[in-house]
């Protein structure tokens, strides 16, 4: 199983990070180790040696068939479920790695950094590119996202990634985070909602 992430896919989040309305010309793709996956309501253990850890709520799609060099118009055939996930990010490490032009794996792919919610079949929705989602921390809404605001749409991301990687059943695609990221602390309770339905709960320890 491979876990793909997308950086800088919502313009207001880009402004939040560096104060500019930066729009990348191509998708910014990174990967997470399989040990990053956090599922079944397991707690997130905040690493005490990595500085500030931020939550980043995202729509996540599940790949359902083998594919390579997938045309955009056929990309919708390659995923069958969607949910909300959290891309936990070691922010200080990310800033350092970006400044030095180094890969993001250490700040993005550490153990437990890819929380995943309950899957909902895509056929329950008319168009997943119009889905809305939000994240609550301790019962306060901190992030609200609309998939239509993505700079690179889900089908475009799948087409792009499949040029470089063979997609396989069970692979996951975290599609980027909207504005509103923030630091997590021990004892925080994070809850993710998709179209008003709670699909994710993570407690921080």
């Amino acid at each position: 199983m491979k876990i793909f992430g997308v950086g800088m896919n919502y313009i207001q989040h880009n402004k939040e990070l560096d104060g500019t309305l930066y729009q990348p010309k191509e998708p910014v793709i990174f990967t997470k180790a399989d040990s990053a996956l956090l599922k079944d309501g397991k707690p997130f253990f905040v690493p005490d040696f990595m500085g500030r850890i931020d939550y980043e709520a995202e729509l996540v799609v599940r790949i359902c068939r083998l594919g390579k060099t997938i045309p955009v118009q056929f990309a919708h055939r390659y995923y069958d479920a969607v949910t909300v996930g959290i891309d936990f990010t070691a922010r200080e490490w990310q800033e350092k790695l970006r400044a030095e032009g180094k890969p993001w794996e250490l700040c993005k792919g550490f153990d437990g950094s890819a929380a995943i919610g309950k899957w909902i079949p895509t056929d329950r929705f008319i168009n997943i590119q119009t889905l809305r989602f939000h994240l609550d921390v301790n019962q306060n809404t901190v992030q609200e996202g609309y998939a239509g605001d993505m700079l690179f749409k889900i089908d475009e991301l799948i087409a792009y990634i499949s040029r470089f990687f063979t997609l396989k059943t069970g692979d996951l695609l975290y599609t980027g985070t909207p504005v509103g990221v923030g630091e997590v602390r021990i004892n925080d309770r994070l809850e993710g909602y998709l179209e008003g339905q709670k699909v994710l709960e993570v407690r921080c320890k």
Side-chain angles (χ1 to χ4, degrees), residues 33-203:
D34 57 3
S35 60
L37 192 64
L38 185 70
K39 58 182 181 178
D40 301 327
K42 293 181 179 177
F44 173 65
F45 291 95
V46 182
D48 58 7
F49 65 97
M50 297 188 75
R52 173 180 172 144
I53 305 295
D54 281 4
Y55 54 77
E56 297 189 2
E58 315 196 358
L59 278 185
V60 186
V61 296
R62 182 178 68 192
I63 303 301
C64 64
R65 60 192 294 189
L66 187 71
K68 175 70 175 174
T69 317
I70 301 165
V72 172
Q73 63 266 35
F74 299 131
H76 66 279
R77 302 178 180 176
Y78 288 82
Y79 53 92
D80 65 351
V82 62
T83 190
V84 174
I86 299 174
D87 168 23
F88 288 108
T89 302
R91 188 66 68 200
E92 294 161 15
W93 281 56
Q94 184 187 38
E95 292 170 355
K96 178 176 182 293
L97 293 169
R98 287 180 67 182
E100 296 174 355
K102 293 180 179 179
W104 289 7
E105 272 70 15
L106 290 181
C107 69
K108 288 282 194 177
F110 57 90
D111 287 357
S113 63
I116 196 75
K118 180 178 66 176
W119 293 108
I120 300 178
T122 54
D123 60 14
R124 294 190 186 177
F125 305 107
I126 296 174
N127 180 359
I128 69 166
Q129 205 63 65
T130 62
L131 293 180
R132 296 185 181 275
F133 61 100
H134 70 271
L135 178 72
D136 289 359
V137 176
N138 302 325
Q139 299 184 316
N140 295 309
T141 298
V142 293
Q143 282 190 281
E144 296 181 274
Y146 171 58
D149 290 335
M150 292 180 186
L151 295 174
F152 299 98
K153 309 308 182 188
I154 293 169
D155 291 356
E156 295 170 342
L157 293 171
I158 287 174
Y160 182 82
I161 291 170
S162 70
R163 291 167 54 192
F164 306 95
F165 301 92
T166 298
L167 297 180
K168 297 183 178 181
T169 300
D171 287 349
L172 306 180
L173 173 58
Y174 284 65
T175 58
T177 193
V179 69
V181 303
E183 185 176 5
V184 295
R185 295 176 173 81
I186 292 173
N187 296 324
D188 279 350
R189 185 178 72 175
L190 284 61
E191 297 171 295
Y193 293 81
L194 179 59
E195 289 293 317
Q197 178 180 346
K198 182 177 173 180
V199 293
L200 171 70
E201 181 171 347
V202 177
R203 292 183 180 271

